[in-house]
Amino acid sequence: MTATSGLPARGRFITFEGGEGGGKSTQSRRLAQALGAAGVAVVETREPGGSARAELIRAFILSGQAKPMGAATETFLFNAARYDHIATRIAPALVAGQWVLCDRFADSTRVYQAVAGGADEALVRGLERLVVGPARPDLTIILDLPAAVGLARAGARRGGGESPDRFEAESVATHERIRAGFLAIAREEPERCVVIAADRDPDIVADDVRRVVRDRLGAAI
Ligand SMILES: Nc1ncnc2c1ncn2[C@@H]1O[C@H](COP(=O)(O)OP(=O)(O)O)[C@@H](O)[C@H]1O
Ligand SMILES: [Mg+2]
């Protein structure tokens, strides 16, 4: 049923999740460097997007053009992008024994589309089961910080000229619900998820990320 059924023994799959500006891209990069220095073959990728075709869907979603179609259609679009990303990039890398680091993945769909967007929970969970299948992350690092702090960082990163994307443009109250949504996932799946406080010096956060990856997945970093 899925792009990845029968996925054999493989590399490890790590996802970075959390709200805007938490440092997902920064910490994913730093972990990739640490793993690379330890001789691990690493693929860095992101969602939405991550494959050539999925990036087309990303541009459509983040432009805001999908928003009027409603949260259910956005959910289908995220999953269409994810299906291609898994099939063409994530699964082949894992099968080849590479470690895949992904900046956002299915938890973001649970939180942004269901918790914040109001898409039907059963639809979101059902599509996740079908599309992700055995390509479930081995470890999910949730970078947690107050929504206002993350949004301010994201705004500073963008600079003055560029306008916020479709999700950055949501209210602080929505972003606080998004934060709570990620923390709820961590409580629901503690064997997969680790919450790391992201409102700290990036070096300290990177130390914590490395420690978790060492302890949970046995990486020599
Ligand atoms: N721990 C941190 N403290 C302060 N600023 C940070 C920290 N981590 C990242 N940043 C900065 O905040 C902005 C958002 O970080 P980024 O990694 O792009 O977050 P995300 O990918 O989660 O949206 C960037 O400009 C980045 O340099
Ligand atoms: Mg980012």
Side-chain angles (χ1 to χ4, degrees):
M1 256 325 268
T2 74
T4 53
S5 48
L7 202 66
R10 54 175 193 145
R12 300 304 188 112
F13 184 22
I14 302 173
T15 56
F16 287 83
E17 296 276 12
E20 314 300 326
K24 299 177 296 300
S25 304
T26 304
Q27 295 299 331
S28 176
R29 183 86 275 277
R30 295 187 61 149
L31 178 60
Q33 285 163 349
L35 287 169
V40 177
V42 179
V43 171
E44 291 177 73
T45 188
R46 68 161 183 191
E47 288 210 349
S51 64
R53 286 179 293 250
E55 288 287 330
L56 299 174
I57 301 174
R58 173 192 178 94
F60 181 65
I61 294 170
L62 295 186
S63 74
Q65 290 177 91
K67 187 180 176 186
M69 299 174 179
T73 300
E74 281 188 317
T75 302
F76 287 121
L77 289 168
F78 276 104
N79 277 283
R82 184 162 301 133
Y83 187 89
D84 189 74
H85 185 207
I86 292 170
T88 67
R89 211 139 173 245
I90 296 175
L94 293 173
V95 167
Q98 295 168 326
W99 288 40
V100 176
L101 309 187
C102 192
D103 178 349
R104 293 201 183 281
F105 193 63
D107 296 319
S108 284
T109 308
R110 290 190 200 175
V111 170
Y112 282 76
Q113 277 61 59
V115 175
D120 182 66
E121 182 83 24
L123 173 78
V124 172
R125 296 287 180 132
L127 283 173
E128 180 179 321
R129 259 193 311 281
L130 289 172
V131 169
V132 174
R136 184 173 180 273
D138 299 294
L139 172 65
T140 295
I141 293 168
I142 295 173
L143 294 172
D144 178 62
L145 80 178
V149 176
L151 287 170
R153 279 190 198 168
R157 176 190 56 200
R158 247 188 351 260
E162 215 181 308
S163 44
D165 74 26
R166 183 252 174 275
F167 296 106
E168 288 167 352
E170 296 286 345
S171 68
V172 174
T174 298
H175 284 285
E176 278 301 342
R177 291 205 290 139
I178 287 167
R179 179 188 193 188
F182 283 115
L183 294 176
I185 291 173
R187 285 193 298 273
E188 191 186 326
E189 297 185 55
E191 73 296 340
R192 173 171 66 87
C193 301
V194 175
V195 177
I196 292 180
D199 194 5
R200 296 179 297 161
D201 185 279
D203 290 343
I204 306 285
V205 177
D207 285 346
D208 277 3
V209 170
R210 277 201 309 280
R211 183 174 318 112
V212 165
V213 172
R214 198 163 59 227
D215 291 351
R216 293 252 178 159
L217 301 180
I221 55 172

